[in-house]
Amino acid sequence: LDITISSDVPLGAGLSSSAALTCSVACAIDDEVGSELSPRDLAAVARDSENDYVGAPTGTMDQLAAMLCEADSALLLDCRDLTTRSIPFTIADAGLTLLLMDTNVRHSLVDSEYGARREDCAAAAADLGLRSLRDATAAQLVGLDDERLRRRAHHVVSEIARVEQVAAILDAGRPGDIGAQLTASHLSLRDDYEVSCTELDVTVDAALSAGALGARMVGGGFGGCALALCRADDAEAVLAKVRRAYSDEGWKPPTVYDPKPSPGAHRVS
């Protein structure tokens, strides 16, 4: 196969560029040779290409999102059994908007530290006698003697709870109310999982101080993008505050995107 790739997906920005590449190529090959693999099968192939060929210890969330997401929806994924469910996420109808702000910072330690976090989570689960932290409860975490592993596990367990809360809020048709969970997620990523960085923290803090309903880093951390949920009328003020914060730090301004919940990989022509 002779494949030409044209892309404007930012590399290393925490926007799942590797999954975008592998899933789109897998779909194109499947379409060309007529193997008729299911979207889930293609997601598995894409993950295997990263895990086995590249050696990147990725999970499967990015690939399943790239294959299964639907327009104007959020995808709820349970990593215990890989079941998924689409939830309406029509924020424009609620007078809201998402701001995706790329710090344009790429720290080299993201790959090694991601692997280290995976190892910490596996060790914490083993210490608790569990297959994975998906099966852990907050009460069980007090049994972890290693303070670092306890914090890593606390992030995972609390993040699962936040995801469930967000799903319930979206099911109830109140997308503006998920902001607190977004912010709590960032604080947990910063303090318990320790994958944030100064640039991401400044972005989140500036957005919140300007009236964003919630904000968090996205991706593997140590650079890349932060996402902010805002009232549409407040978006310009939020962006202005973030840009001022960057100017005060002597940084180049962030690159800003206007993300839209969109369908997964598919043939476009």
Side-chain angles (χ1 to χ4, degrees):
L1 294 172
D2 186 6
I3 300 173
T4 298
I5 295 167
S6 176
S7 174
D8 59 3
V9 176
L11 300 180
L15 300 178
S16 306
S17 57
S18 59
L21 172 66
T22 55
C23 288
S24 59
V25 170
C27 281
I29 295 173
D30 179 73
D31 188 65
E32 180 67 18
V33 304
S35 56
E36 298 183 351
L37 293 175
S38 71
R40 286 180 175 272
D41 288 338
L42 291 170
V45 168
R47 178 187 179 179
D48 288 347
S49 71
E50 294 200 54
N51 291 174
D52 300 337
Y53 185 77
V54 178
T58 68
T60 194
M61 179 183 71
D62 291 356
Q63 294 85 0
L64 285 172
M67 293 304 308
L68 301 179
C69 278
E70 299 177 1
D72 297 321
S73 300
L75 185 72
L76 178 64
L77 164 65
D78 189 336
C79 287
R80 175 183 285 138
D81 54 13
L82 299 186
T83 55
T84 58
R85 179 167 69 89
S86 289
I87 304 174
F89 192 50
T90 52
I91 58 173
D93 293 346
L96 305 173
T97 190
L98 289 171
L99 297 176
L100 187 62
M101 298 164 284
D102 188 353
T103 65
N104 293 307
V105 171
R106 309 289 187 263
H107 290 303
S108 60
L109 48 74
V110 61
D111 291 333
S112 61
E113 290 295 331
Y114 177 83
R117 297 306 181 278
R118 288 284 300 267
E119 292 172 1
D120 282 349
C121 290
D127 286 354
L128 293 171
L130 301 173
R131 184 179 64 86
S132 81
L133 291 178
R134 175 67 180 91
D135 300 315
T137 65
Q140 289 175 300
L141 302 186
V142 297
L144 290 170
D145 295 328
D146 187 295
E147 189 266 342
R148 186 187 77 252
L149 296 186
R150 190 164 57 251
R151 286 190 289 110
R152 302 292 188 255
H154 182 265
H155 166 71
V156 174
V157 172
S158 63
E159 188 79 343
I160 290 170
R162 283 186 287 272
V163 169
E164 292 171 343
Q165 291 166 0
V166 166
I169 293 169
L170 293 180
D171 280 333
R174 306 194 319 270
D177 292 346
I178 68 172
Q181 283 73 27
L182 296 179
T183 303
S185 178
H186 182 79
L187 297 179
S188 182
L189 286 160
R190 184 192 70 188
D191 300 335
D192 283 342
Y193 219 53
E194 295 183 289
V195 292
S196 189
C197 64
T198 300
E199 295 85 356
L200 287 167
D201 294 340
V202 166
T203 305
V204 168
D205 290 346
L208 293 172
S209 68
L213 300 175
R216 73 185 294 272
M217 56 157 277
V218 296
F222 307 104
C225 292
L227 184 73
L229 177 68
C230 310
R231 299 178 187 87
D233 292 342
D234 294 338
E236 285 303 319
V238 170
L239 282 176
K241 186 65 176 289
V242 171
R243 288 171 175 143
R244 282 199 301 274
Y246 274 53
S247 178
D248 291 344
E249 295 285 350
W251 301 335
K252 293 181 179 179
T255 303
V256 180
Y257 302 98
D258 180 24
K260 296 288 191 301
S262 302
H266 59 281
R267 188 182 183 113
V268 295
S269 65

